[in-house]
Amino acid sequence: MSLIRRGVSASSEDFPTQGISQTLDDSTESFWSSKGNPDPLSSESLTYELLQPSVISAVSLKPFKAVFQRGSPTFAPLCVSFSVGFAPTPDAMHFVSPLYPIRNINKTQTFQLSPSLVVGRYLRIHLHGRCGTQPTDNLYYTVLEQVACHGLPYGALGDHPALLQTSSSLPVV
């Protein structure tokens, strides 16, 4: 189960029907799409609100394959990074991951954030560069079919007495 409650913002979207919320359902026909850009090194970002403050262990992304376009192109970014915070603005993000390469295939790819202890209420996904052009306009796009955030909601720690006991026995520095 994903920790994501809703999409908050996207740096761009190609059409209103291709908004950030389209990455949160299980349909293979819905997706978020950036606007086209002539620069393959241009970047995009997606910001999500989590169900509650959570310990985040991993993020999964599935690039979209446009089987309805000539050549069935897939539109992954060149690489991704993640930031986490307690407010949705970039300056409120207290954790920033390193860059992770992503394959330009229509398969779910999971990026582990551990061993860092990452806690927050908002997840921002940075999509660096673009792999695919759309045949009709020769512009570069980034398109994601699904996004999920994995970990443990803070409220669920009460369901794990061993975790609470361990954390309460740690010395306070």
Side-chain angles (χ1 to χ4, degrees):
M1 180 178 123
S2 179
L3 297 171
I4 296 174
R5 174 187 308 255
R6 66 182 182 97
V8 174
S9 65
S11 54
S12 76
E13 64 183 32
D14 201 22
F15 294 102
T17 57
Q18 298 172 355
I20 187 173
S21 65
Q22 300 300 308
T23 62
L24 301 177
D25 65 32
D26 292 329
S27 171
T28 58
E29 296 178 9
S30 63
F31 53 88
W32 164 81
S33 176
S34 70
K35 287 187 184 229
N37 193 306
D39 182 3
L41 299 178
S42 61
S43 296
E44 297 284 344
S45 65
L46 301 171
T47 303
Y48 295 90
E49 179 184 16
L50 305 183
L51 295 168
Q52 60 179 286
S54 301
V55 177
I56 301 167
S57 59
V59 178
S60 296
L61 306 175
K62 184 177 182 184
F64 181 73
K65 181 177 184 143
V67 296
F68 51 84
Q69 291 184 1
R70 186 179 71 237
S72 299
T74 302
F75 294 97
L78 296 173
C79 55
V80 297
S81 63
F82 309 98
S83 53
V84 176
F86 288 99
T89 58
D91 60 331
M93 300 289 170
H94 59 268
F95 169 83
V96 179
S97 77
L99 292 173
Y100 298 93
I102 185 170
R103 295 178 300 155
N104 192 30
I105 59 172
N106 180 234
K107 300 274 186 209
T108 300
Q109 300 168 59
T110 301
F111 305 91
Q112 300 294 328
L113 301 184
S114 57
S116 297
L117 181 61
V118 182
V119 179
R121 179 71 187 251
Y122 292 88
L123 168 68
R124 186 175 176 96
I125 301 172
H126 306 273
L127 307 161
H128 306 273
R130 302 164 190 241
C131 290
T133 59
Q134 185 168 277
T136 56
D137 61 11
N138 264 351
L139 294 176
Y140 288 89
Y141 289 80
T142 299
V143 187
L144 296 181
E145 183 178 317
Q146 289 183 323
V147 172
C149 182
H150 312 284
L152 188 63
Y154 186 74
L157 291 177
D159 296 339
H160 299 279
L163 287 175
L164 290 175
Q165 183 179 21
T166 303
S167 65
S168 66
S169 65
L170 295 173
V172 178
V173 186

